[in-house]
Amino acid sequence: MIGGPRSPRAFVVGAARLTQTARMTASTRPIQPAPTPTERSQQVARAIGWAVAASIGLVGMNASMRLAVQTLDPFVGQFFRYLFGLVLALPLMLRGLAWLKPRNLPGQLWRGFAQGIAITLFYVSLKYVPLADAIAILFTSPIVVLIGSALFLGEKVRPARWVAAFVGLGGVVVLLSPNISGQGSLFWSLVMLSSVPFWAATFLITKWLTRSDSTDTIVAWQNLTITLFTIPMAIMFWHTPSLRELLLTMLAGFCGTAGHWCLTRAMSLADLSVVQPLRFLDLVWSSLLGIVLFGNIPTAATLIGGTVIVLATIWLARSETRR
């Protein structure tokens, strides 16, 4: 089992403390002048660009990991993925170690704990679920994130964001319909679905951390904490990776670190309820990679559901940038 707090009650208490600390921090921080409508529109446009770049990087990470875990134990694979991600942060140390010191260490640890559980559930089932379906299952998380951003972060979730999220979720339901009807890997799809609440917690905590820590600090601590949390399971299921497996996990580490950096940057520029629905674009890239790498020809359900998701994403992007 991944290290850190062990009971659901402890996780809830920790999240509550994070919320209380966030409110106290916000009340003591100097008030910044509100951006003008033009400046806000420009910020949102930049956030959308970073979110699109993040989706490409994260799908590249998932595709590399899916190739790796065909022969490599998922626990060993995720250890090396985050270890290589941590190695990528080493050049940043040339400018000193001050950036590595977080202002909110408990928040960084809670984020690593939540994401450690999420990636474990995700990678264990990734071997048995088509890549496009795997990404689509994760798209149920924006609904949880929207609710959490309103309850814990105090964001005002506009109706357009709710509409885009629920329409996108409808596209996910259409895409998953073959599995729901028993034509696919329903058990492993459900295992993967159980990771969604933990992914949502990860995104919420990350958004909150952008209020106090830099993007470099957040991504570096993500790789550090998850590397440490995955060591026990990696040792338990250890076997020495082949050169191919090492290269694939290295590629996953590069794509994942770049993707999470872009996603964290997007979160620092716009509300989480703007950024999250844009991740529905992952389905487009994962479908293309699924065809090229795994021969997963999209079904009619995948094409219809994907079209609904893309249209909802485009509509939300246009709605936000016109405000």
Side-chain angles (χ1 to χ4, degrees):
M1 182 172 180
I2 295 176
R6 294 179 179 273
S7 69
R9 182 178 181 277
F11 190 83
V12 172
V13 171
R17 288 176 180 172
L18 283 179
T19 304
Q20 182 180 11
T21 306
R23 290 171 178 168
M24 294 174 60
T25 303
S27 64
T28 58
R29 188 180 292 113
I31 299 176
Q32 300 294 329
T36 65
T38 300
E39 291 173 338
R40 185 192 176 285
S41 179
Q42 292 173 345
Q43 282 186 346
V44 171
R46 290 199 299 272
I48 290 173
W50 284 118
V52 172
S55 72
I56 297 174
L58 295 177
V59 169
M61 173 194 70
N62 290 329
S64 302
M65 284 300 297
R66 190 171 191 272
L67 285 170
V69 299
Q70 299 298 313
T71 54
L72 181 66
D73 185 88
F75 295 109
V76 179
Q78 69 182 19
F79 166 73
F80 277 104
R81 174 263 180 265
Y82 284 96
L83 178 63
F84 284 127
L86 184 61
V87 170
L88 289 176
L90 293 179
L92 295 175
M93 295 182 183
L94 296 177
R95 67 188 199 199
L97 297 178
W99 65 274
L100 192 56
K101 184 178 180 181
R103 297 180 181 177
N104 187 346
L105 179 58
Q108 300 288 355
L109 295 178
W110 275 107
R111 180 184 187 274
F113 172 65
Q115 190 167 353
I117 296 177
I119 62 174
T120 297
L121 294 170
F122 181 76
Y123 287 148
V124 164
S125 53
L126 184 60
K127 179 178 179 179
Y128 307 99
V129 180
L131 184 61
D133 288 4
I135 301 302
I137 289 172
L138 297 184
F139 288 163
T140 55
S141 65
I143 304 299
V144 182
V145 171
L146 286 178
I147 296 172
S149 65
L151 292 177
F152 298 109
L153 300 178
E155 292 186 2
K156 295 181 179 179
V157 184
R158 296 174 54 243
R161 300 174 190 176
W162 285 112
V163 171
F166 277 103
V167 171
L169 180 61
V172 172
V173 171
V174 172
L175 185 147
L176 289 178
S177 58
N179 284 350
I180 295 174
S181 63
Q183 300 175 28
S185 304
L186 180 58
F187 172 77
W188 290 110
S189 294
L190 292 176
V191 172
M192 188 169 287
L193 185 63
S194 67
S195 70
V196 167
F198 296 99
W199 284 119
T202 299
F203 294 133
L204 290 168
I205 296 173
T206 300
K207 172 59 180 178
W208 175 68
L209 287 173
T210 62
R211 300 176 179 179
S212 59
D213 290 319
S214 69
T215 299
D216 291 344
T217 302
I218 293 171
V219 175
W221 272 87
Q222 173 200 37
N223 288 318
L224 175 61
T225 53
I226 298 178
T227 299
L228 294 176
F229 288 160
T230 55
I231 287 177
M233 296 302 291
I235 293 175
M236 187 178 301
F237 294 94
W238 180 264
H239 77 263
T240 303
S242 65
L243 178 60
R244 172 184 176 277
E245 292 165 345
L246 282 175
L247 291 175
L248 285 172
T249 53
M250 183 184 299
L251 178 60
F254 172 78
C255 292
T257 299
H260 282 292
W261 193 96
C262 293
L263 184 60
T264 304
R265 181 60 179 157
M267 291 181 185
S268 70
L269 292 171
D271 287 349
L272 193 55
S273 53
V274 174
V275 175
Q276 275 297 292
L278 293 172
R279 293 208 59 212
F280 287 141
L281 285 174
D282 292 9
L283 181 61
V284 177
W285 321 129
S286 62
S287 295
L288 293 175
L289 284 177
I291 295 172
V292 175
L293 298 178
F294 308 107
N296 298 145
I297 305 300
T299 63
T302 300
L303 295 175
I304 295 173
T307 300
V308 172
I309 290 170
V310 170
L311 290 177
T313 302
I314 294 174
W315 178 75
L316 175 64
R318 290 176 61 87
S319 173
E320 289 294 331
T321 54
R322 286 179 175 178
R323 290 184 62 215

